[in-house]
Amino acid sequence: MSFMEYQVLGYESPLYGRRTAQFKISGLDYREMKVFHPELPLEDQALLYGITGGIPHYINKLEVTDNLDQALIENLFDPSGYLFEEPENLLKQELREPALYNSIISAIAGSASHVNEIATKAGLESSVCTKYLKVLLDLEILKKEFPITEKNGKKTIYQIGDNFFRFWYRFVPRNMSVILAGRIQSIYEQTIKRYYPDYMGLIFEKMCRDYLLRYAKDLPFTLSDIGQWWGTDPINRQEVQIDIVGTSTEENEYLIGSCKYRNEKIGVDEWQLLRRYASVFRKKGVFHYYIFSRSGFTQALKDLEKQGKVKLLTLEDIYEN
């Protein structure tokens, strides 16, 4: 990708200023990639998206037949598998100092999110680390996140933006000894699969935001922007994080959403929490509450939906509706 951007299309290239169009091909979204394996259950469809990021090459190389877990064991958690060394190979192909970039990505995978934290874990000066972070941002391996109402402010954090890198750095390095020993089959359920719901938390949030932007019908207003919000509640002086905040052009309506990828039904307490969190905006406006859940909802929360107080959506809803 860097070769195309800087050598073929760069300022010093003979093609500079002469091209009539250009296309940067992104990964498929969670619905589009369903055509590869329509027979898989929706939870496996979601996980496959969470692993591959909708990149057709990765989907094909996983060689899923009827069992996603076995495909992962054979093609990703196996030293002879095609995808086992994929992130490291890509870093070597694109970058001059792959080991250094590897340490930065590992730091972020280990929960470091601010420049100072990342630099400390990677053993770099903050100013130097910032330069390397920019390269990884340009390659779209990393992404910047900031509260929806505070563009590029002090609250900016860094996350792994490429799903495959995120999955690989989350599960492969920490299990490397077992993988190399050929024992991954015996410990897969306990040391890897049990953590998939936690891993899928951020992925599910993106899926829900994509649903609202691209597929949702009959929204209460036209979304002009959508994202996360986090900060301090000035009254209660507590840290608040809202999974989804959608705004309107007139800025007098808000969509406040929660996304839960748990193995349990979501109850009324989640709606009450959303209402309390919404108060941090301190603006006169209309708030519309949406709750997304992998495992459904309690009857009490469904009763509130019937009263028009909240909109409830399951994994089936965001795939089919």
Side-chain angles (χ1 to χ4, degrees):
M1 188 170 75
S2 60
F3 172 78
M4 292 299 297
E5 287 189 349
Y6 301 116
Q7 301 299 322
V8 178
L9 300 176
Y11 179 75
E12 296 180 356
S13 167
L15 290 179
Y16 182 79
R18 297 182 181 182
R19 64 183 182 271
T20 57
Q22 66 184 50
F23 295 93
K24 190 171 185 178
I25 308 301
S26 300
L28 305 174
D29 72 25
Y30 74 96
R31 274 200 183 187
E32 293 169 337
M33 63 170 282
K34 189 179 175 183
V35 298
F36 281 83
H37 298 288
E39 75 286 352
L40 289 179
L42 291 184
E43 289 189 7
D44 283 353
Q45 295 280 3
L47 179 59
L48 187 59
Y49 171 72
I51 295 168
T52 65
I55 303 298
H57 181 63
Y58 294 157
I59 300 170
N60 288 331
K61 288 301 181 180
L62 270 178
E63 298 181 358
V64 180
T65 53
D66 58 350
N67 190 313
L68 178 56
D69 294 316
Q70 194 59 39
L72 288 170
I73 291 170
E74 293 176 358
N75 299 296
L76 199 154
F77 295 115
D78 187 313
S80 65
Y82 178 90
L83 295 174
F84 177 67
E85 295 181 335
E86 179 70 3
E88 293 180 339
N89 289 337
L90 282 175
L91 292 181
K92 292 175 183 177
Q93 176 182 315
E94 292 282 347
L95 305 165
R96 295 179 180 177
E97 301 172 279
L100 194 151
Y101 287 99
N102 177 68
S103 65
I104 292 175
I105 300 172
S106 297
I108 297 173
S111 76
S113 58
H114 294 89
V115 175
N116 291 340
E117 297 173 337
I118 299 167
T120 299
K121 283 194 172 185
L124 298 169
E125 295 291 333
S126 293
S127 57
V128 175
C129 185
T130 301
K131 296 179 182 178
Y132 288 108
L133 287 171
K134 184 181 183 306
V135 174
L136 292 172
L137 288 171
D138 290 342
L139 291 173
E140 297 183 2
I141 294 173
L142 300 185
K143 64 179 178 179
K144 274 185 180 182
E145 292 280 356
F146 38 79
I148 187 171
T149 56
E150 303 176 33
K151 306 290 185 183
N152 291 317
K154 295 181 179 180
K155 294 180 181 178
T156 297
I157 61 173
Y158 292 85
Q159 294 180 339
I160 299 177
D162 184 296
N163 283 8
F164 188 77
F165 272 75
R166 186 169 178 266
F167 185 86
W168 193 93
Y169 277 88
R170 170 72 182 269
F171 294 108
V172 174
R174 66 181 63 182
N175 294 293
M176 187 64 76
S177 297
V178 180
I179 293 172
L180 294 177
R183 295 184 54 248
I184 194 67
Q185 186 91 44
S186 62
I187 57 91
Y188 174 78
E189 293 279 343
Q190 185 65 23
T191 62
I192 296 178
K193 187 173 181 177
R194 65 178 293 194
Y195 296 107
Y196 284 166
D198 176 61
Y199 168 80
M200 284 294 296
L202 289 177
I203 304 294
F204 189 49
E205 289 177 19
K206 185 181 187 309
M207 291 169 62
C208 295
R209 289 195 293 270
D210 286 348
Y211 167 79
L212 291 170
L213 278 173
R214 300 184 182 190
Y215 301 111
K217 301 174 183 177
D218 302 322
L219 288 177
F221 61 89
T222 301
L223 291 171
S224 63
D225 199 4
I226 192 168
Q228 295 179 324
W229 191 92
W230 63 88
T232 304
D233 184 338
I235 293 182
N236 298 321
R237 299 192 179 280
Q238 294 179 338
E239 287 297 311
V240 171
Q241 180 168 353
I242 307 174
D243 298 335
I244 294 177
V245 175
T247 59
S248 64
T249 305
E250 294 76 17
E251 297 187 355
N252 61 350
E253 287 191 86
Y254 296 86
L255 189 154
I256 308 295
S258 173
C259 308
K260 300 300 176 188
Y261 205 80
R262 299 174 183 166
N263 292 321
E264 59 187 25
K265 293 184 177 181
I266 306 303
V268 173
D269 56 334
E270 188 66 28
W271 172 70
Q272 294 171 334
L273 191 65
L274 274 184
R275 293 181 67 199
R276 192 171 83 240
Y277 283 0
S279 65
V280 302
F281 291 101
R282 310 294 174 206
K283 294 181 180 180
K284 292 181 179 180
V286 179
F287 294 93
H288 306 274
Y289 301 102
Y290 278 61
I291 300 178
F292 297 82
S293 170
R294 166 197 178 190
S295 303
F297 310 93
T298 63
Q299 187 57 51
L301 189 55
K302 290 179 180 178
D303 291 341
L304 286 178
E305 183 182 35
K306 292 177 182 177
Q307 299 171 29
K309 295 183 178 180
V310 63
K311 177 71 173 176
L312 307 178
L313 294 139
T314 63
L315 193 61
E316 290 76 14
D317 290 326
I318 69 170
Y319 267 101
E320 308 297 341
N321 293 341

